[in-house]
Amino acid sequence: MTSIELRKKFLNFFKDRNHTVVSSSSLVPNDSSVLLTTAGMQQFKPYYTGKVDPIRDFGSKSTVSIQKCFRTSDIEEVGDDTHLSFFEMFGNFSFGDYFKKEAIHYAYKFVVEELGIERNRIYVTIFAGDNSVSGDEESFKIWNEEIGLPKKQIKRRGRSDNWWGPTGSEGPCGPTTEIYVAKNLDDARLGNGLEIWNIVFNEYYQNKKGDFDKLEIPGIDTGMGLERLAVMTQGANNIFETDLFIPIIRQIKEVSNGLEPRIIRILADHIRSSIFLIADGVRPSNKETGYILRRFLRKVIVYGSKYDIHADLFPVVLERVAEIFGEIYPDLKNKEEILNVYYEEKGKFNKALSNGLKIFNDFVLRIKPENSIHKLQKILGIGRFQNIFHGKEAFSLYETYGLPKELIQEFCEEKGIVFDEKGFDEEYKKHQEVSRAGSEKKFGGHGLVLDTGELKAGSQEDSEKVIKLHTATHLLQQALRNVLGNDVKQMGSDINSERGRFDFSFNRKLTEEEIEKVEEEINEIINKDLPVYYKEMSIEEAKETGALYFFKEKYPNKVRVYFIGPKDGFPSTSSRPAELGEARPKGVAGRAYSVEFCGGPHVENTLKVGKFKIQKQESVGAGVRRIKFGVITA
Ligand code: SER
């Protein structure tokens, strides 16, 4: 039985039983309590509560539909025989029309008589009951006494299996009975089968607080995955061997070579899912559904390079998806627009990816190899050796390059590195708070005047420019010291969105060569894309790092020290004021290029500064020189 035949059979079966056929609603629901449509009942929620009259809208208190659904909850399972992110759900619904008896009889009749699945292969589950709701004996009787299903094929299960309701939002809910299909009677008795149909008895309404209110009119909500049904009726071993997937899988195999079956399945699922999301109006972004789509698309793109797939899979899979589903979902015929969304995201991501991978590979090069002592410790079970990709560092890949968290996680897994998920999540939360506070500060209507008092900017664009020039100022001071000697000290600076100005102690004009050397050094550092970060510490500790500061200035007890260079680095000795003697790194590896007392803000990574250029040099009195400089951002 083809999937087209299945669709017709299902809709007609219920149409013949006074159900009105309702078409699928969009994957993006009207209902703001959920991000995506995850079940057929979602578009019918107001009918269960009696808020809206089904007779007025459908001419009937019962409906039937085939609903496009999207679930990210099973994402880890995608690639096995039965799970998908996008799928279609058959469902019949009653809003105060019929209840348990009819719902169970309909389902049984459809599965056994219409689909021809032998009764011996079926078993069902019912709600066993718990402290708050008693067991569903009514359903037991219907299955056992009316249908005649032997007791061994009826299993009682708890709330986690046989209860359906919204998680974290509000909606109708209640106990369920589920139909499973096994290979044979023995397996059915043992409970080894695949769930195909979930029948929910909506007797309650779960409110926002999570309490249950009894619904005035009990309702029916059923859901049966089309793909699993196709497995049963097409003699397939898994969902990917059904007519809903065969052309897609074949297409991917054809243009890629020797991909592992699980990867082919994941690609088939993710590309198909993305296509349906785009067709329903979702666009890639960093928020909500947009982020879900972005993650899917980016994973597909990453797999392209990770598994060395030379063909661009998305466009060819789109052709197959449009052939299989175009008649049913006409929006899929808009192939050009769907492709544009994909290409635009691909362009953005490729840029981000190559930069992000560079950073990650740098990290991999820095990690400690496992040595023989570690191995021995492991054997003895006392080993603690692990390479950890810390949250902060991982988060900067997300923030700066837009690499999805899941992807970073995968990179780590592949290299046997522990991904510090908790740390990542903490950074994420912090970042949200900071960016909220930041935008208030930036757009408060007063322009941007920073702690140092040396920066002024109006619009957001101006602020960004000023911040780049601010970081460039730190680089400039260090480069001047490296080229001209440690007598160079900052005497003042002034930045606006057009240029930076830096005054420093030095008693002659710089030669062309020196100017070039300074520029070269700065651009070299910028291209190394070093992290820029700060640490808050006591004034004593801060001085101990060897950071540059104004000797004249009075600092508070706690100061911020900005580092440009590897994390936990200390200043290179050349930048350390002679009067402080040798820096003592206390076992911390890596040396920062620049370390200065500063309130910030700065760019997060030097690459963000852009290309550095000295525009002019002049004298401003005895022993003080001035340099004007700019940055060019791509
Ligand atoms: N709402 C139930 C489910 O999604 C039945 O349709 O399983």
Side-chain angles (χ1 to χ4, degrees), residues 517-623:
K517 241 179 152 170
V518 168
E519 281 178 343
E520 243 173 56
E521 179 167 325
I522 293 175
N523 284 317
E524 211 173 277
I525 295 293
I526 288 172
N527 287 332
K528 279 191 184 157
D529 202 13
L530 298 175
V532 182
Y533 63 102
Y534 70 84
K535 283 189 180 165
E536 225 149 39
M537 44 186 118
S538 72
I539 184 90
E540 290 79 15
E541 259 181 282
K543 285 183 178 168
E544 188 52 27
T545 68
L548 295 176
Y549 59 95
F550 287 109
F551 289 91
K552 285 181 285 182
E553 199 149 316
K554 279 230 177 314
Y555 287 95
N557 285 336
K558 268 224 168 312
V559 292
R560 271 187 191 185
V561 177
Y562 258 96
F563 293 76
I564 303 178
K567 288 284 158 87
D568 294 317
F570 275 72
S572 58
T573 34
S574 71
S575 74
R576 194 174 163 80
E579 55 272 37
L580 284 174
E582 263 292 39
R584 266 159 288 144
K586 292 181 187 145
V588 181
R591 293 197 178 276
Y593 177 73
S594 146
V595 186
E596 268 192 56
F597 281 36
C598 180
H602 284 279
V603 298
E604 302 87 342
N605 296 77
T606 54
L607 210 53
K608 282 200 172 163
V609 170
K611 197 172 156 54
F612 177 88
K613 183 106 194 82
I614 290 179
Q615 289 157 347
K616 211 175 179 179
Q617 64 158 321
E618 32 185 83
S619 160
V620 277

Side-chain angles (χ1 to χ4, degrees), residues 115-364:
L115 301 182
I117 294 175
E118 303 89 338
R119 178 193 174 99
N120 272 350
R121 294 173 59 198
I122 288 172
Y123 67 96
V124 302
T125 58
I126 58 168
F127 182 56
D130 60 15
N131 292 341
S132 39
V133 183
S134 50
D136 189 1
E137 287 317 304
E138 192 184 343
S139 291
F140 180 84
K141 276 197 183 130
I142 299 169
W143 280 118
N144 185 235
E145 289 168 19
E146 295 180 23
I147 308 258
L149 200 68
K151 279 184 186 155
K152 280 194 172 150
Q153 282 160 261
I154 306 172
K155 309 197 179 290
R156 289 185 168 80
R157 288 192 183 157
R159 199 173 273 258
S160 60
D161 290 306
N162 280 74
W163 184 270
W164 203 86
T167 32
S169 65
E170 54 179 335
C173 61
T176 69
T177 182
E178 295 182 352
I179 302 177
Y180 286 73
V181 177
K183 281 206 187 77
N184 50 46
L185 183 59
D186 282 345
D187 277 347
R189 284 181 176 152
L190 288 169
N192 282 334
L194 182 64
E195 177 203 331
I196 60 157
W197 206 339
N198 184 16
I199 299 160
V200 184
F201 306 121
N202 278 322
E203 297 180 71
Y204 304 94
Y205 192 87
Q206 184 180 319
N207 63 29
K208 272 193 190 126
K209 281 187 277 169
D211 302 330
F212 301 116
D213 302 324
K214 191 103 184 147
L215 278 175
E216 256 171 54
I217 27 167
I220 292 293
D221 151 29
T222 87
M224 172 158 58
L226 164 61
E227 296 79 2
R228 291 186 182 186
L229 209 54
V231 170
M232 300 293 145
T233 56
Q234 295 177 11
N237 292 312
N238 59 66
I239 45 184
F240 299 98
E241 286 180 13
T242 65
D243 63 349
L244 294 159
F245 272 101
I246 289 170
I248 300 174
I249 299 286
R250 192 187 295 141
Q251 178 70 78
I252 297 177
K253 274 192 186 152
E254 221 171 86
V255 296
S256 61
N257 56 39
L259 276 184
E260 190 191 312
R262 204 179 69 87
I263 301 302
I264 296 179
R265 291 172 173 193
I266 292 174
L267 285 165
D269 172 84
H270 285 23
I271 297 175
R272 192 177 84 131
S273 296
S274 307
I275 291 169
F276 274 95
L277 284 177
I278 298 170
D280 274 353
V282 179
R283 294 293 174 267
S285 78
N286 281 339
K287 272 209 330 241
E288 304 182 338
T289 41
Y291 186 58
I292 295 174
L293 173 60
R294 172 160 280 170
R295 260 168 47 197
F296 275 74
L297 286 176
R298 291 193 167 192
K299 192 160 167 188
V300 168
I301 298 166
V302 167
Y303 273 24
S305 44
K306 191 167 157 185
Y307 296 105
D308 199 27
I309 306 166
H310 293 272
D312 200 346
L313 293 180
F314 192 97
V316 289
V317 170
L318 174 60
E319 291 298 327
R320 303 291 83 79
V321 170
E323 278 163 20
I324 304 170
F325 300 97
E327 288 306 315
I328 303 154
Y329 303 111
D331 285 343
L332 292 174
K333 292 198 173 137
N334 209 343
K335 286 188 274 186
E336 207 174 315
E337 197 180 330
I338 295 173
L339 267 186
N340 281 342
V341 173
Y342 166 70
Y343 284 130
E344 195 177 310
E345 180 64 8
K346 190 177 177 185
K348 278 190 193 149
F349 186 47
N350 274 341
K351 221 172 173 179
L353 187 63
S354 62
N355 289 331
L357 272 176
K358 228 186 319 181
I359 303 280
F360 183 74
N361 288 335
D362 277 354
F363 170 79
V364 173

Side-chain angles (χ1 to χ4, degrees), residues 393-452:
E393 205 158 355
F395 183 74
S396 80
L397 284 190
Y398 164 81
E399 197 200 2
T400 314
Y401 303 106
L403 299 194
K405 173 177 155 185
E406 297 70 19
L407 217 62
I408 302 172
Q409 216 158 1
E410 249 177 54
F411 288 165
C412 288
E413 267 165 34
E414 206 169 88
K415 300 270 181 205
I417 297 166
V418 178
F419 171 65
D420 168 21
E421 187 171 2
K422 204 169 145 240
F424 182 97
D425 292 344
E426 273 165 19
E427 284 301 312
Y428 182 80
K429 228 175 115 197
K430 238 194 272 167
H431 169 79
Q432 279 181 319
E433 280 156 18
V434 169
S435 65
R436 219 175 296 131
S439 56
E440 275 156 25
K441 204 161 142 196
K442 271 186 204 159
F443 307 115
H446 305 293
L448 180 74
V449 180
L450 304 160
D451 309 20
T452 53

